[in-house]
Amino acid sequence: MAIIVAKFGGTSIGDGDRIRKAAQSVVKEYMQGRKVVVVVSAINKTTDDILQVVEGAIGESITEKQMADVVSMGEITSVRVFASTIESLGVKSEYMDPHMENWPVITDSNYLNAQIDFEETEKRSQGLRDLLDQGIIPVVCGFLGKDEEGNVTTLGRGGSDITAFLLGHCLQAEEVIIVTDVGGVMSTDPNKLTSAKKLDKISVEEMRDLATHGAQVLHPHALRYKDPKINAKIIGFEHGDLSAPGTEIIGPSGDEMLRTTTINNEPIAIIAVVGEEMMTKVGILAELTRALQNNCINIYGISTGQNSITLFVDKSTADTAHEILHEVVVEHPDMSSLSLGRDISMITVNSQDFIDTPGIITRITEPLRKNKINIVEISSSQTSVVLFVDWNDGKRAYEMVRSVLE
Ligand code: ADP
Ligand code: ASP
Ligand code: MG
């Protein structure tokens, strides 16, 4: 029988009426023969309220261990309310919190940003299966973990999403459903731009990048546990229906390696355009890229400096690009000259955990320094680092970077 994991965010269980509707939506699935594991956040803004009270009462002298214990009360309360509501609808339900023997999510002792012990959690998720087999709906605290000593830990703000995908993975669920306060994933934060439009689907890779860049709708670490076989969607709570359409999350398409390092097979050429105080002039970038676009030349990357803009293009298109950009530069009052540089290798390292791993750039660049490989350009974002080195150094640099990271 298919297992689904349904996670309810704070707003979707924001008051008694919403909790009843949420519980009804779970019971409806149960009645249709699906096994449902419920993961809940704290009711409404409880977590923020608790943090504010602690701030006023204790300030910064509270220990992380104490903080995790106190803040856990949001979810510790909400699982009890939710499970009782399911029972009031005539279906058996049991809540699970970290103080209980059968609690599944085991972590290290980094109390406020705990790392999950996946193997132990997977083993313990058998307890959830046992409940499901008895026709009981388990209601699990999102966001919380327990360390080896039995202390409460938390997975970081917004961590209930991680709990949902983690349990979905451990239980080989058919579907993970995230119920939230907006209709799904939108073209941008609908609370910032009212013209935001709902997306019917989004890939794991896109969702991860959106999340690591701050789109709160899903915790960026949640998708570490997204298996291509598990369906996933984000839906709005107002439907009161878990089969409502929202945004489907598709993939991942590649293997599930946390880090990948790639190098381009063909050389890339660098074209640098210079001009005085270019950074403060409007529209220069557009002039350059439009000229390349009109000639169907792809740009791999752009970096901008005070007095220069560097464009990376395929070597095979470099001579044409050079000529086209030259025409733009000589016509434009704010650009003075340009130069077509040597052949370059582009090494790209992707990882979802760069964002919270200090020292990644040092680890990547240190072996290159030791081996006297010059870095021509480097760019980094929250999930990737791209290095440009001389074509002749490319293969060696690639192997070094791979060996320190993978
Ligand atoms: P929950 O309490 O259900 O976990 P969150 O507040 O954590 O809900 O996440 C939902 C919020 O994410 C929305 O209210 C919205 O403001 C924000 N958000 C940011 N970017 C997006 C986006 N691209 N699509 C949808 N919501 C977004
Ligand atoms: N209640 C926690 C928070 O507000 C976890 C969550 O909602 O996902 O951060
Ligand atoms: Mg959230």
Side-chain angles (χ1 to χ4, degrees):
M1 205 193 286
I3 296 176
I4 60 173
V5 177
K7 177 252 165 174
F8 293 89
T11 310
S12 64
I13 50 165
D15 58 32
D17 197 39
R18 289 181 186 178
I19 294 174
R20 198 180 57 257
K21 283 211 179 88
Q24 281 166 341
S25 69
V26 169
V27 167
K28 185 179 155 210
E29 296 297 321
Y30 175 89
M31 291 303 183
Q32 287 171 359
R34 296 172 98 187
K35 293 178 170 173
V36 193
V37 174
V38 178
V39 173
V40 284
S41 297
I43 292 168
N44 220 358
K45 300 266 176 251
T46 309
T47 311
D48 291 327
D49 296 343
I50 295 173
L51 291 173
Q52 211 183 340
V53 169
V54 170
E55 172 68 30
I58 314 167
E60 290 193 349
S61 63
I62 189 165
T63 66
E64 292 198 346
K65 185 175 169 189
Q66 289 170 328
M67 182 67 109
D69 196 29
V70 175
V71 88
S72 69
M73 296 314 292
E75 274 73 9
I76 284 181
T77 306
S78 61
V79 283
R80 285 162 169 76
V81 181
F82 204 104
S84 305
T85 312
I86 294 178
E87 294 235 308
S88 77
L89 300 171
V91 176
K92 277 202 257 172
S93 178
E94 275 185 28
Y95 60 80
M96 276 187 173
D97 74 40
H99 298 292
M100 296 163 68
E101 197 49 46
N102 63 353
W103 173 254
V105 183
I106 303 301
T107 69
D108 66 7
S109 301
N110 188 0
Y111 298 105
L112 298 181
N113 194 17
Q115 299 304 304
I116 291 157
D117 180 341
F118 179 74
E119 275 177 22
E120 192 55 34
T121 302
E122 193 171 37
K123 229 186 284 164
R124 284 169 165 260
S125 64
Q126 184 55 43
L128 282 167
R129 285 185 195 278
D130 294 343
L131 289 179
L132 292 169
D133 289 343
Q134 295 166 54
I136 295 169
I137 300 180
V139 181
V140 185
C141 293
F143 175 53
L144 305 183
K146 174 157 89 173
D147 71 5
E148 274 178 10
E149 278 87 54
N151 301 307
V152 177
T153 63
T154 74
L155 307 178
R157 294 303 307 270
S160 302
D161 300 327
I162 306 177
T163 313
F165 276 91
L166 172 68
L167 296 181
H169 189 105
C170 292
L171 297 167
Q172 291 164 315
E174 179 188 65
E175 189 170 25
V176 174
I177 304 170
I178 304 291
V179 186
T180 188
D181 60 345
V182 286
V185 183
M186 320 280 280
S187 47
T188 189
D189 185 342
N191 289 317
K192 294 193 179 141
L193 276 187
T194 50
S195 54
K197 294 200 166 42
K198 185 175 83 66
L199 311 179
D200 292 335
K201 56 180 188 226
I202 188 165
S203 70
V204 164
E205 293 77 9
E206 288 170 285
M207 186 65 239
R208 200 181 275 151
D209 274 359
L210 204 61
T212 49
H213 286 91
Q216 215 191 332
V217 64
L218 193 70
H219 193 292
H221 291 174
L223 293 170
R224 287 180 178 178
Y225 302 100
K226 166 78 172 72
D227 198 294
K229 291 193 292 290
I230 300 175
N231 298 323
K233 67 176 177 184
I234 300 183
I235 62 173
F237 75 91
E238 70 285 353
H239 302 288
D241 184 357
L242 293 177
S243 62
T247 304
E248 249 185 282
I249 305 174
I250 316 282
S253 54
D255 52 25
E256 277 185 276
M257 273 166 60
L258 273 183
R259 287 181 184 159
T260 55
T261 310
T262 55
I263 182 170
N264 55 313
N265 292 326
E266 298 299 322
I268 280 179
I270 293 188
I271 301 178
V273 179
V274 301
E276 212 183 332
E277 295 292 325
M278 275 169 100
M279 198 179 251
T280 59
K281 310 275 165 58
V282 176
I284 291 198
L285 208 48
E287 293 274 349
L288 298 171
T289 56
R290 194 179 310 115
L292 294 179
Q293 180 203 1
N294 289 342
N295 289 276
C296 297
I297 293 176
N298 184 40
I299 304 167
Y300 284 98
I302 293 179
S303 64
T304 57
Q306 193 68 31
N307 301 302
S308 69
I309 291 176
T310 320
L311 301 119
F312 301 85
V313 298
D314 217 275
K315 170 143 168 79
S316 59
T317 62
D319 289 335
T320 322
H322 187 197
E323 222 178 306
I324 293 163
L325 292 176
H326 181 249
E327 277 169 35
V328 178
V329 168
V330 294
E331 291 296 319
H332 201 285
D334 297 321
M335 296 185 248
S336 67
S337 51
L338 81 167
S339 136
L340 171 59
R342 51 194 185 275
D343 292 357
I344 294 291
S345 277
M346 178 171 81
I347 299 160
T348 308
V349 192
N350 287 310
S351 172
Q352 4 165 349
D353 56 6
F354 279 171
I355 179 176
D356 44 23
T357 315
I360 280 290
I361 305 260
T362 311
R363 275 174 63 196
I364 292 175
T365 55
E366 187 57 13
L368 305 191
R369 182 190 69 81
K370 277 197 190 136
N371 288 282
K372 298 198 166 35
I373 295 180
N374 189 38
I375 298 169
V376 179
E377 288 261 359
I378 182 166
S379 74
S380 72
S381 70
Q382 300 193 6
T383 51
S384 76
V385 177
V386 186
L387 290 168
F388 297 91
V389 298
D390 255 0
W391 177 250
N392 294 335
D393 294 328
K395 283 271 165 359
R396 252 180 354 125
Y398 167 68
E399 292 304 337
M400 282 170 205
V401 171
R402 249 177 53 150
S403 67
V404 288
L405 288 185
E406 288 177 10

